[in-house]
Amino acid sequence: GLKKPNIEEIRHAKNAVFSPSMFGSSLQEIMNMQKERYPDRQLPWVQTRLSEEVLALNGDQTEGIFRVPGDIDEVNALKLQVDQWKIPTGLEDPHVPASLLKLWYRELEEPLIPHDFYEQCITHYENPEAAIAVVHSLPRINKMVLCYLIRFLQVFVQPANVAVTKMDVNNLAMVMAPNCLRCQSDDPRIIFENTRKEMSFIRVLIQHLDTSFMEGVL
């Protein structure tokens, strides 16, 4: 909205001049940012912490998770905290960390699945083997982050969860594909056509990608 910034937001804006944000940066920059604090982590702290928070607040048993937006003021407040390496206690609504997590993926400087791989994805959107091969050909950090995301989404497609969330694999693929893939065309017809293929590609991964190797990886 058009509210005046509060003191916390002004302080954050001043600090941001000197310390870059985890939002809108590249994966490699984010890994470099956390090197001192978390030298052994293989994944972005922001990704794993927000994902854990969604589950801690029973997001997998919350209707419309990832589809229903969190309160914008609460999401912005959480973003400020996360950029200071904090997750506040007392969060209650899983839609808030879920919305911020989607925002983080969407605002990555380069999409999670880099532009160089985009054509392969929309070519192999119905072929599980070829789709999985694309994943394994990604740069290591992109592959790890994507596999963590897919493993996370695989929790939500379990029938006992879908019964409550009303978010089946098609719905999850629909809301998550734009956060993983970015069409570079300006042609509305191509964008429309590719949107369907992007969704199918992510759906195939949720259904077929073996993410067991990510067990316990942080």
Side-chain angles (χ1 to χ4, degrees), residues 69-216:
D71 176 84
I72 186 72
D73 293 328
E74 286 188 48
V75 173
N76 284 334
L78 180 57
K79 185 179 182 182
L80 294 178
Q81 293 277 304
V82 165
D83 255 335
Q84 296 166 42
W85 307 95
K86 295 179 203 149
I87 296 274
T89 51
L91 278 179
E92 291 176 3
D93 181 3
H95 295 303
V96 172
S99 292
L100 189 59
L101 184 60
K102 279 168 56 180
L103 182 75
W104 179 75
Y105 287 116
R106 192 166 65 249
E107 287 195 345
L108 283 171
E109 188 175 14
E110 184 174 42
L112 178 49
I113 299 174
H115 294 305
D116 290 350
F117 297 86
Y118 183 85
E119 287 302 324
Q120 292 179 53
C121 295
I122 60 165
T123 304
H124 300 308
Y125 66 95
E126 288 179 313
N127 179 340
E129 275 181 33
I132 289 166
V134 174
V135 173
H136 288 293
S137 70
L138 294 175
R140 183 171 190 277
I141 184 65
N142 298 74
K143 174 183 151 181
M144 296 287 286
V145 169
L146 178 61
C147 289
Y148 183 92
L149 169 60
I150 297 298
R151 185 170 182 78
F152 177 65
L153 295 177
Q154 286 168 342
V155 171
F156 291 85
V157 297
Q158 292 167 17
N161 290 334
V162 174
V164 183
T165 64
K166 311 284 194 286
M167 293 295 287
D168 64 12
V169 68
N170 293 313
N171 293 335
L172 286 167
M174 181 165 67
V175 295
M176 280 309 195
N179 304 317
C180 301
L181 290 152
R182 288 182 212 154
C183 179
Q184 289 185 291
S185 173
D186 295 327
D187 183 333
R189 285 169 310 173
I190 293 176
I191 294 170
F192 181 76
E193 185 60 29
N194 285 7
T195 299
R196 187 176 57 83
K197 295 175 182 176
E198 292 167 13
M199 278 166 38
S200 296
F201 182 79
I202 298 300
R203 183 178 65 227
V204 161
L205 295 187
I206 297 171
Q207 290 172 320
H208 298 281
L209 184 64
D210 179 1
T211 58
S212 58
F213 74 98
M214 293 297 293
E215 177 79 49

Side-chain angles (χ1 to χ4, degrees), residues 54-55 57-68 92-95 98 156 160-167:
V54 172
L55 293 175
L57 297 174
N58 298 315
D60 55 351
Q61 288 283 297
T62 301
E63 185 169 340
I65 193 69
F66 296 118
R67 181 180 56 75
V68 174
E92 291 176 3
D93 181 3
H95 295 303
F156 291 85
N161 290 334
V162 174
V164 183
T165 64
K166 311 284 194 286
M167 293 295 287

